Amino acid sequence: MNSTTVRNLLVRGMLAGLAAGVLALVIAYWLGEPSVDGAIGFEEAHAAHSHGGEEAELVSRSLQSTAGLATGMLVYGVAFGGIAALAYCFALGRAGRFGPRATALLLSGCALLAVYVVPYLKYPATPPAVGNPDTIGKRTTLYFLMILLSVLLATGATVLGKRLAPRIGTYYATLAGVLGFVVVTGIAFAVLPVVNDVPEHFPATLLWRFRLSALAIQVTLWSGFGLIFGELAQRLLQPKPAAVPAAPAVPAGR
């Protein structure tokens, strides 16, 4: 793949990431912000009860939930789209006999699973202002360690499947790769420490809604990117041939 094609795909990836960020922003504002407000209200109520007052906000909550949220989601979408486009350039043609559109969807789905869903199952999202500030460093380290392990295991499962395919066939090689990924991931889940910093009396329904909204935001971002970028990549790499005008009819007798 030449540098011009890579550059064009990179630009399209960033545009697709921006569009996917807009979609994720709608979900974040509609589903995520009410849960965040509830979590902050819970924390403020307990802080006021314990200390007899409230601390002044450096940035207003209304600004955080509008301009701050939009800026964060859109910048993240553009950066995410650029990185995903570069990964797509590497994966195209190496992931099997898939076209540009199917490769984008496959890459997005696998990346969503390895980068977000698997680490999320071990260390699910915690509402802001709720977790123990003394353990934030430990929690962050464990979460990124789980992401690294998940990506490495997914890569290893892919390599294992490709090496076994000539011997036992694509179907059984895929099953072996998936089974190996599940087994080793389960071992990692059992070995890594459990983190539970949610206060004892925190509403379970609010926690459940927050975690569902966090998952919905990421699913929207990754799936939206896969669909939009796949269409843009398809038009770039496999453009439709221009229609050839029909020749004028020759009158009979000439």
Side-chain angles (χ1 to χ4, degrees):
M1 185 178 295
N2 58 54
S3 59
T4 301
T5 303
V6 172
R7 183 174 64 251
N8 290 334
L9 286 173
L10 176 61
V11 172
R12 284 162 172 77
M14 295 172 71
L15 292 175
L18 178 63
V22 173
L23 297 176
L25 173 63
V26 174
I27 300 300
Y29 187 79
W30 181 44
L31 293 180
E33 286 305 305
S35 300
V36 173
D37 288 336
I40 292 176
F42 176 87
E43 193 269 344
E44 289 177 348
H46 281 68
H49 178 74
S50 301
H51 304 291
E54 298 182 358
E55 297 182 357
E57 288 183 324
L58 297 178
V59 180
S60 68
R61 175 65 190 138
S62 60
L63 184 61
Q64 294 175 14
S65 62
T66 53
L69 177 64
T71 301
M73 289 300 303
L74 297 182
V75 171
Y76 175 76
V78 172
F80 153 79
I83 295 172
L86 294 178
Y88 176 86
C89 293
F90 176 80
L92 187 63
R94 295 182 174 90
R97 296 180 180 179
F98 298 102
R101 190 184 292 120
T103 301
L105 290 174
L106 179 64
L107 179 65
S108 297
C110 293
L112 171 65
L113 179 67
V115 176
Y116 187 78
V117 174
V118 171
Y120 177 89
L121 292 176
K122 176 62 178 177
Y123 299 114
T126 301
V130 170
N132 184 355
D134 296 333
T135 63
I136 188 171
K138 174 184 176 182
R139 288 185 280 123
T140 303
T141 301
L142 288 173
Y143 181 72
F144 280 102
L145 175 61
M146 192 66 235
I147 292 177
L148 178 62
L149 285 175
S150 179
V151 172
L152 291 177
L153 291 176
T155 303
T158 303
V159 173
L160 175 64
K162 283 183 172 293
R163 292 189 175 182
L164 291 178
R167 304 177 186 176
I168 61 178
T170 303
Y171 176 77
Y172 291 107
T174 303
L175 287 182
V178 172
L179 181 61
F181 177 79
V182 171
V183 170
V184 181
T185 300
I187 295 174
F189 275 30
V191 171
L192 290 175
V194 177
V195 174
N196 184 18
D197 284 348
V198 180
E200 181 180 356
H201 301 292
F202 190 82
T205 302
L206 180 58
L207 179 62
W208 176 247
R209 288 177 179 173
F210 175 83
R211 288 178 171 172
L212 279 182
S213 66
L215 180 60
I217 292 168
Q218 293 297 324
V219 170
T220 301
L221 181 69
W222 289 84
S223 60
F225 172 81
L227 291 170
I228 298 170
F229 179 70
E231 191 64 32
L232 296 177
Q234 181 80 16
R235 295 184 181 186
L236 173 68
L237 300 174
Q238 294 183 359
K240 294 182 180 180
V244 179
V250 179
R254 290 192 179 181

